[in-house]
Amino acid sequence: MGGYTWVTVMSIIYSNKYGPWIIGLAICVGVAAGVVILALLAASVTTRRAEVASIYNNKKVEITGIEARNRVWGENYPREYETWAKTANMDFKSKYLGNIQQDALGERPDMVILWAGYAFARDYKAPRGHFYTIEDMLETLRTASPGVEGTADLQTASCWTCKSPDVPRMMEQTGAAGFYKAPWSSMGSQIVNPIGCADCHEPETMNLAVSRPALREAFQRIGRDVDKASTQEMRSLVCAQCHVEYYFKGDGKYVTFPWDKGFSVEDMEAYYDEIDYADWTHALSKTKMLKAQHPDWELFLVGPHGQKGLSCADCHMPYISEGGLKFSDHHLVSPLSNVAGTCQVCHRDSEETLKKFVYDRQDKLLETRNRLEPELAKTHILTKMAIDAGAADEELEPIRKLLRQAQWRWDFGVASHGAPFHAPVETQRILSHGLDKTLQAQLLLKDVFYAHGVDSTRMPDISTKEKAQVFIGLDPEKLRTQKAEFVKNVVPQWLAEAVANNRI
């Protein structure tokens, strides 16, 4: 307006005999526009509520109890079901991960050494969509091939816990303890539907609900009540039933969350140390090891988005609209596959800039991870050399303690696939401490080697997954052959029984 100010303009208007009339007209027009906008908004809200009410009043099937078949829920909630079905897609690849199947051991064979003596050394693939939870469990070498060539169960049914809505259905019949301790294969014809509706929803109200006992039990031990959680908290807690650190307690393999002392990597380590717990003894270094599962929720809590009060669903299940109805997108996948519907709801940066923010954090964290993994694998092998040279357990005790601590920190940061984004600062701290403890163990090993006259520490060739597996005593070809026979002959029998009993 050139050199005019708002005060100048108003003075001119008021000096005109029509000034007050002009102002009054402007106010009337503004109020009328506001009323129209509010009316349109009210009509939109009313329409949405009417459509929601229509869904509830026109259900095609009545669902009560634990209904594990996702297709049945789909008859009442077709929009949500259609988006959930997209978790079968394998069409997205970010810079490092996506929803495609990736052989993590093939890409990083040092992990075979890190898990020597544990089932993960057999097979470890990057996760893909929820649609594949059952298929991946049946096909992984970690569950062995029970029934083939006299092969026994390698796992108990506790390994099914987070894979299917059939799990709470079976727990209702057997009790949680009875379910956990059952042989894995005994549930083969029962656990047949992939993660879906009943895992997170009550059928009568569609409210979010915790369907597994471990989360509720862990909260009770620390004085919290899941039933008093807010709606926003529940939008994360239904995920935290599974996307957390846990272990199989006692001979009954009871699924337990180690949160009694807190949620940090040190808190959980102190919990495990106090009860003298180990997931397994390392085949090379003979160290009592801890295997981190996937502490996604615990790390998310201390990251920037968790601290701001966001939930898992805000980014992984953004709201979408269809036909005037707003609902959550159940196509759970990386937010990077839909930046406009996730990140840009809050951030005004370009898609390219936002992706660069994420990739920069991933790049820096993976620098530390890629420095730590080979040094950790090397330290296990060096410890085996010390054992072979005659080193006593007393000499190796401080080295093994550092190895346990180092690998726990590595695994805690790596097993949580979203850690570089969920909590980049905390994850960098954890991995850096893991590297520090690994190098401390190597320094102690030098003294042991000197004491036992070891002057050569030539490393074996573990440059591929197969070479590393053979080095730790596995027969990968035999394992794959047995699994192929299992998938061809045993799995169809399980599925046929499930179909015959209308479980799918």
Side-chain angles (χ1 to χ4, degrees):
M1 296 183 62
Y4 292 105
T5 65
W6 177 251
V7 175
T8 304
V9 173
M10 293 303 294
S11 298
I12 294 172
I13 291 176
Y14 269 107
S15 66
N16 190 302
K17 66 178 181 178
Y18 296 110
W21 181 85
I22 294 172
I23 293 174
L25 179 62
I27 292 173
C28 289
V29 170
V31 170
V35 170
V36 170
I37 292 171
L38 288 173
L40 291 172
L41 179 61
S44 174
V45 171
T46 301
T47 300
R48 289 180 185 272
R49 287 179 175 173
E51 289 203 35
V52 171
S54 176
I55 289 173
Y56 278 97
N57 294 331
N58 295 282
K59 294 179 181 177
K60 295 182 179 179
V61 295
E62 191 64 33
I63 302 175
T64 58
I66 301 174
E67 174 53 76
R69 296 168 297 175
N70 298 309
R71 62 175 177 81
V72 176
W73 294 70
E75 294 185 43
N76 288 342
Y77 311 104
R79 291 180 175 88
E80 288 83 355
Y81 180 78
E82 287 172 5
T83 60
W84 168 85
K86 291 180 181 178
T87 62
N89 295 349
M90 293 194 295
D91 55 3
F92 173 70
K93 178 73 166 66
S94 67
K95 186 172 184 178
Y96 294 106
L97 290 172
N99 60 5
I100 60 176
Q101 194 172 59
Q102 294 176 244
D103 183 357
L105 294 184
E107 295 173 2
R108 291 149 55 199
D110 284 321
M111 291 195 292
V112 174
I113 304 300
L114 300 185
W115 289 321
Y118 197 62
F120 272 76
R122 296 177 169 210
D123 185 18
Y124 177 52
K125 295 182 176 64
R128 49 181 177 164
H130 281 170
F131 185 86
Y132 294 102
T133 52
I134 301 300
E135 181 177 324
D136 289 347
M137 274 288 281
L138 296 172
E139 293 182 355
T140 180
L141 300 180
R142 298 203 305 272
T143 54
S145 306
V148 175
E149 298 179 4
T151 304
D153 274 288
L154 186 63
Q155 312 292 351
T156 65
S158 52
C159 284
W160 288 113
T161 302
C162 285
K163 306 302 182 183
S164 168
D166 286 301
V167 170
R169 176 179 67 80
M170 292 307 298
M171 284 184 174
E172 191 175 67
Q173 297 178 28
T174 67
F179 177 84
Y180 293 142
K181 67 183 180 182
W184 178 78
S185 63
S186 69
M187 297 291 174
S189 64
Q190 295 283 356
I191 311 300
V192 289
N193 293 283
I195 292 172
C197 313
D199 287 305
C200 303
H201 290 283
E202 292 178 347
E204 293 83 5
T205 63
M206 288 304 290
N207 289 338
L208 294 173
V210 172
S211 59
R212 269 80 166 165
L215 178 67
R216 187 177 299 277
E217 292 163 353
F219 265 39
Q220 288 172 347
R221 293 197 306 275
I222 60 176
R224 294 178 62 177
D225 187 349
V226 171
D227 295 327
K228 293 182 179 179
S230 67
T231 300
Q232 179 68 354
E233 288 172 325
M234 288 300 295
R235 282 160 55 82
S236 288
L237 288 179
V238 290
C239 307
Q241 298 180 88
C242 295
H243 288 265
V244 293
E245 164 60 10
Y246 59 86
Y247 74 106
F248 299 158
K249 185 177 182 178
D251 294 336
K253 303 299 181 183
Y254 199 96
V255 176
T256 306
F257 297 173
W259 297 342
D260 296 39
K261 295 179 179 295
F263 299 114
S264 74
V265 65
E266 290 87 3
D267 290 335
M268 288 184 250
E269 181 180 55
Y271 171 92
Y272 286 135
D273 287 348
E274 186 175 283
I275 63 175
D276 193 27
Y277 176 78
D279 283 290
W280 89 104
T281 298
H282 198 277
L284 301 179
S285 67
K286 307 305 178 186
T287 303
K288 291 183 176 181
M289 303 299 297
L290 296 173
K291 172 69 187 79
Q293 306 308 323
H294 25 65
D296 304 319
W297 182 70
E298 297 95 329
L299 282 170
F300 173 74
L301 287 178
V302 298
H305 292 82
Q307 290 290 298
K308 290 290 186 180
L310 273 73
S311 71
C312 304
D314 287 320
C315 299
H316 290 279
M317 300 178 66
Y319 288 116
I320 55 178
S321 294
E322 182 180 288
L325 186 65
K326 179 181 177 182
F327 61 99
S328 293
D329 185 352
H330 284 59
H331 180 199
L332 287 105
V333 69
S334 168
L336 294 181
S337 69
N338 178 22
V339 172
T342 54
C343 312
Q344 289 179 328
V345 172
C346 297
H347 301 283
R348 295 296 175 253
D349 305 273
S350 69
E351 179 172 336
E352 181 181 2
T353 298
L354 290 168
K355 285 186 174 181
K356 186 176 185 301
F357 286 156
V358 178
Y359 294 150
D360 284 348
R361 284 154 179 76
Q362 290 177 335
D363 289 343
K364 290 176 172 58
L365 273 165
L366 295 189
E367 282 182 29
T368 307
R369 184 203 73 182
N370 294 341
R371 176 82 175 86
L372 171 55
E373 273 178 18
E375 292 300 332
L376 197 50
K378 177 182 176 182
T379 310
H380 280 294
I381 296 172
L382 289 172
T383 304
K384 182 184 185 305
M385 292 180 183
I387 295 171
D388 293 344
D393 288 340
E394 302 82 61
E395 296 176 90
L396 297 174
E397 182 179 354
I399 295 166
R400 287 171 174 155
K401 181 178 180 179
L402 286 166
L403 264 176
R404 172 182 166 98
Q405 293 173 340
Q407 185 153 325
W408 166 241
R409 283 156 179 76
W410 163 78
D411 214 344
F412 201 92
V414 170
S416 178
H417 301 282
F421 177 75
H422 289 159
V425 175
E426 174 66 359
T427 308
Q428 186 70 270
R429 181 189 75 85
I430 291 169
L431 293 179
S432 297
H433 286 197
L435 179 58
D436 173 59
K437 290 178 182 296
T438 301
L439 297 179
Q440 286 184 50
Q442 290 183 7
L443 287 174
L444 293 179
L445 276 165
K446 288 185 177 181
D447 293 335
V448 175
F449 287 146
Y450 180 79
H452 290 271
V454 178
D455 55 10
S456 175
T457 55
R458 184 186 180 93
M459 287 291 111
D461 181 2
I462 53 170
S463 58
T464 68
K465 177 180 71 172
E466 287 72 19
K467 289 179 179 179
Q469 288 176 330
V470 170
F471 174 72
I472 65 171
L474 291 177
D475 185 343
E477 183 59 34
K478 180 180 179 180
L479 292 174
R480 287 192 293 267
T481 300
Q482 289 178 336
K483 179 58 73 169
E485 184 177 343
F486 172 79
V487 171
K488 180 181 178 181
N489 297 320
V490 178
V491 171
Q493 296 175 29
W494 290 355
L495 294 178
E497 182 180 338
V499 170
N501 287 277
N502 200 27
R503 294 175 190 147
I504 298 180

